[in-house]
């Protein structure tokens, strides 16, 4: 077999292993080792695996993963999510479908201090959905809004997916964070427009009844008291990062300490809870770093086989062209999102697609934002739809079906598609902040 045939067989083999249930990290390591051994020999494969483990995980930058994960978990247990929703509910409850818009804004702010979509889905399914149902919104719409706006957690910085992409694409984490701001604001705005359109043109989808309970009118002093910790943490992390006071790892450390202070101040953290958070942080970190290691080995095996070079020549010929490749890539990401989780999609696709995108002359930061938006659409699409299943498991409602949540999230999948087209047509939305 030629090197190209071995590389192609490795891709097919990886897909087959995932199909039979093998964990993606182990599958990548296995096919990569066999691929390098067949292209060269066993000794080279062993030495390359050792070098990859050392090169992939010795970087100081990787400390950002556990720090931002810990910050997100601490923020979740401290009740900041509920306070964020209360603030925007007070500000927007008189607007048409105001609670839906409040949920979007609250998710956007919560995303800026957590970076994990699943955390947002868990928190707001318990906070926003009961409140919206109490005020006459349909359960389908309420859960759909939470599912849709939860994806902001992986786009608005700090974001775990943006960190993973930056590592795999060898881009600056700080630049990726800056690039996520414009698209995050755009996606929030498109979600709000979608909610307003539904409220005016499909009111039966949004509202269930008109005899609703009155809103609790909390004073502006209470609103300020709730918002100060949120604003302080945002200024500490994002202000420190973009102001040049912290690098990404230091910003993660400062954010984790700030979140710990908030949790202790609110007396929402005992020894057992804190220990459980540390254990969960370790588990998430190890799984992410192991996947990065496996993806790096897979990428080097593919480079050795020549598959990315051949794909670049095929996709960049006149018959298809750079944008033909981009459309095919984004559609494939959306399809994969229906079947496997976000990080797995990136780890499988990026080692293959990045060399092609680079050869096409695409800005890899812009390319990364498009990738993350498409990957996040997979959180809302059946049959996988991780955010949808998270909401279903977090809700104490036996009558609610998964299908109902999927139907509620469908308009927001359409909104994400519109935002994706805008981002493709206007790359500066993603890149202008990185060039200041």
């Amino acid at each position: 077999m030629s090197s190209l045939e071995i590389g192609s067989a490795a891709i097919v083999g990886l897909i087959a292993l995932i199909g039979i249930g093998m964990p993606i990290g182990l599958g990548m390591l296995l096919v990569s080792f066999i691929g390098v051994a067949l292209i060269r020999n066993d000794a080279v494969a062993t030495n390359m695996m050792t070098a990859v483990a050392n090169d992939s995980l010795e970087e100081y930058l990787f400390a950002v993963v556990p720090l931002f994960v810990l910050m997100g978990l601490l923020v979740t247990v401290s009740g900041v999510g509920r306070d964020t929703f209360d603030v925007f509910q007070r500000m927007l409850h008189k607007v048409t479908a105001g609670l839906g818009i409040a949920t979007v804004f609250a998710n956007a702010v919560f995303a800026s201090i957590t970076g994990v979509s699943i955390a947002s889905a868990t928190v707001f399914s318990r906070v926003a959905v009961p409140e919206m149902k109490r005020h006459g919104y349909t359960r389908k719409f309420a859960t759909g809004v939470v599912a849709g706006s939860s994806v902001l957690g992986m786009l608005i910085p700090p974001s775990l997916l943006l960190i993973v992409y930056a590592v795999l694409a060898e881009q600056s984490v700080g630049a990726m964070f800056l690039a996520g701001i414009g698209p995050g604001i755009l996606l929030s705005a498109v979600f709000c427009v979608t909610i307003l359109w539904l409220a005016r043109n499909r009111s039966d989808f949004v509202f269930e009844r008109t005899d609703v309970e009155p809103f609790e009118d909390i004073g502006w002093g209470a609103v300020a008291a709730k918002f100060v910790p949120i604003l302080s943490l945002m200024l500490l992390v994002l202000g420190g990062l973009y102001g040049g006071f912290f690098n990404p790892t230091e910003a993660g450390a400062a954010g984790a300490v700030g979140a710990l202070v908030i949790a202790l101040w609110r007396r929402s953290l005992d020894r057992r809870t804190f220990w459980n958070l540390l254990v969960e942080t370790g588990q998430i970190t190890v799984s992410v770093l192991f996947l990065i290691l496996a993806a790096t080995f897979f990428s080097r095996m593919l480079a050795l086989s020549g598959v990315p070079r051949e794909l670049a020549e095929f996709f960049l010929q006149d018959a298809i062209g750079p944008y033909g490749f981009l459309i095919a890539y984004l559609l494939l990401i959306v399809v994969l999102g229906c079947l496997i989780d976000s990080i797995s999609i990136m780890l499988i696709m990026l080692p293959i697609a990045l060399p092609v995108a680079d050869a096409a002359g695409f800005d890899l930061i812009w390319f990364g934002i498009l990738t993350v938006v498409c990957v996040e659409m997979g959180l809302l699409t059946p049959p996988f739809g991780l955010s949808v299943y998270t909401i279903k498991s977090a809700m104490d409602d036996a009558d609610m079906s998964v299908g109902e949540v999927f139907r509620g999230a469908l308009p927001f999948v359409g909104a994400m598609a519109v935002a994706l087209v805008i981002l493709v047509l206007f790359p500066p939305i993603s890149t202008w902040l990185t060039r200041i």
Side-chain angles (χ1 to χ4, degrees):
M1 294 177 70
S2 67
S3 296
L4 183 62
E5 291 171 335
I6 292 170
S8 302
I11 295 173
V12 174
L14 176 61
I15 294 171
L17 290 175
I18 294 172
I20 63 175
M22 177 176 283
I24 184 172
L26 293 178
M28 278 186 161
L29 286 179
L30 180 61
V31 300
S32 300
F33 184 88
I34 294 174
V36 174
L38 291 174
I39 294 170
R40 295 294 175 84
N41 55 57
D42 292 351
V44 172
T46 302
N47 291 336
M48 184 176 287
M49 182 182 289
T50 304
V52 163
N54 182 66
D55 296 344
S56 297
L57 304 182
E58 72 172 357
E59 291 288 337
Y60 168 72
L61 171 65
F62 286 123
V64 75
V65 176
L67 291 170
F68 276 122
V69 169
L70 179 59
M71 181 181 72
L73 294 175
L74 286 168
V75 166
T76 301
V77 302
S78 65
V80 167
R82 175 177 292 277
D83 285 353
T84 307
F85 179 75
D86 288 344
V87 169
F88 285 103
Q89 173 184 285
R90 174 65 179 82
M91 295 170 62
L92 297 167
H93 70 266
K94 293 184 179 179
V95 177
T96 302
L99 286 188
I101 296 174
T103 303
V104 172
F105 280 122
N107 252 312
V109 171
F110 193 67
S112 70
I113 49 178
T114 58
V116 182
S117 292
I118 301 307
S120 297
T122 302
V123 169
F124 288 99
S125 61
R126 295 171 179 167
V127 173
V129 173
E131 192 69 9
M132 281 193 276
K133 286 172 60 182
R134 192 165 66 88
H135 288 92
Y137 293 78
T138 64
R139 183 172 56 189
K140 178 171 59 178
F141 173 76
T143 53
V145 169
V146 171
S149 56
S150 71
V151 304
L152 296 169
M154 284 301 188
L155 187 58
I156 295 177
S159 159
L160 189 58
L161 276 190
L162 291 180
I163 293 171
V164 171
Y165 178 85
V167 170
L168 295 177
E170 298 181 353
Q171 300 295 308
S172 162
V173 172
M176 288 306 304
F177 282 179
L178 282 171
I181 294 174
I185 294 171
L186 170 67
L187 194 55
S188 300
V190 173
F191 283 161
C192 291
V193 170
T194 301
I195 291 169
L196 291 172
W197 185 89
L198 289 171
R200 291 172 183 171
N201 297 279
R202 290 286 309 277
S203 59
D204 59 321
F205 183 90
V206 178
F207 301 109
E208 186 173 42
R209 65 185 194 278
T210 56
D211 54 327
V212 298
E213 299 179 29
F215 283 91
E216 181 183 355
D217 189 15
I218 61 175
W220 288 108
V223 169
K226 288 174 179 286
F227 198 62
V228 165
I230 304 165
L231 184 61
S232 300
L233 197 56
M234 290 173 60
L235 290 175
L236 176 66
V237 177
L238 301 181
L241 181 62
Y242 301 139
F245 300 104
F246 302 140
N247 62 33
T249 305
E250 292 166 347
V257 172
L260 178 61
V261 170
I262 291 173
L264 292 173
W265 175 55
R266 296 187 165 194
R267 301 174 185 261
S268 58
L269 193 66
D270 55 33
R271 288 185 180 180
R272 183 175 183 80
T273 303
F274 186 50
W275 173 254
N276 290 338
L277 292 184
L278 292 177
V279 171
E280 188 174 355
T281 299
Q283 291 171 339
I284 294 172
T285 301
V286 168
S287 64
V288 170
L289 294 184
F290 180 76
L291 288 171
I292 290 174
L293 184 157
T296 304
F297 194 15
F298 185 61
S299 179
R300 293 189 183 183
M301 183 275 296
L302 289 177
L304 196 63
S305 73
V307 168
R309 182 182 64 253
E310 293 295 326
L311 285 175
E313 292 178 2
F314 172 75
F315 278 112
L316 302 183
Q317 60 183 303
D318 292 338
I320 299 175
Y323 282 91
F325 154 71
L326 181 64
I327 292 170
Y329 167 74
L330 295 178
L331 289 175
L332 181 56
I333 291 286
V334 173
V335 171
L336 287 175
C338 299
L339 304 172
I340 55 180
D341 66 276
S342 303
I343 291 182
S344 297
I345 295 171
M346 293 179 67
L347 294 174
I348 293 170
M349 291 301 299
L350 288 177
I352 302 170
L354 281 171
V356 184
D358 193 32
F362 291 144
D363 186 314
L364 293 186
I365 291 178
W366 170 69
F367 187 76
I369 295 298
L370 299 182
T371 299
V372 170
V373 172
C374 276
V375 164
E376 288 296 277
M377 290 175 70
L379 292 177
L380 307 179
T381 51
F384 194 77
L386 187 57
S387 279
V388 171
Y389 285 100
T390 299
I391 290 169
K392 175 67 174 72
S393 63
M395 295 287 296
D396 186 18
D397 192 341
D399 295 331
M400 184 178 68
S401 67
V402 172
E404 186 177 12
V405 186
F406 275 123
R407 288 192 295 273
L410 185 60
F412 299 95
V413 176
M416 293 185 74
V418 170
L420 182 65
V421 171
I422 295 172
L423 291 172
V424 170
L425 295 176
F426 302 100
I429 295 174
S430 304
T431 59
W432 72 276
L433 278 175
T434 64
R435 295 172 180 171
I436 295 178

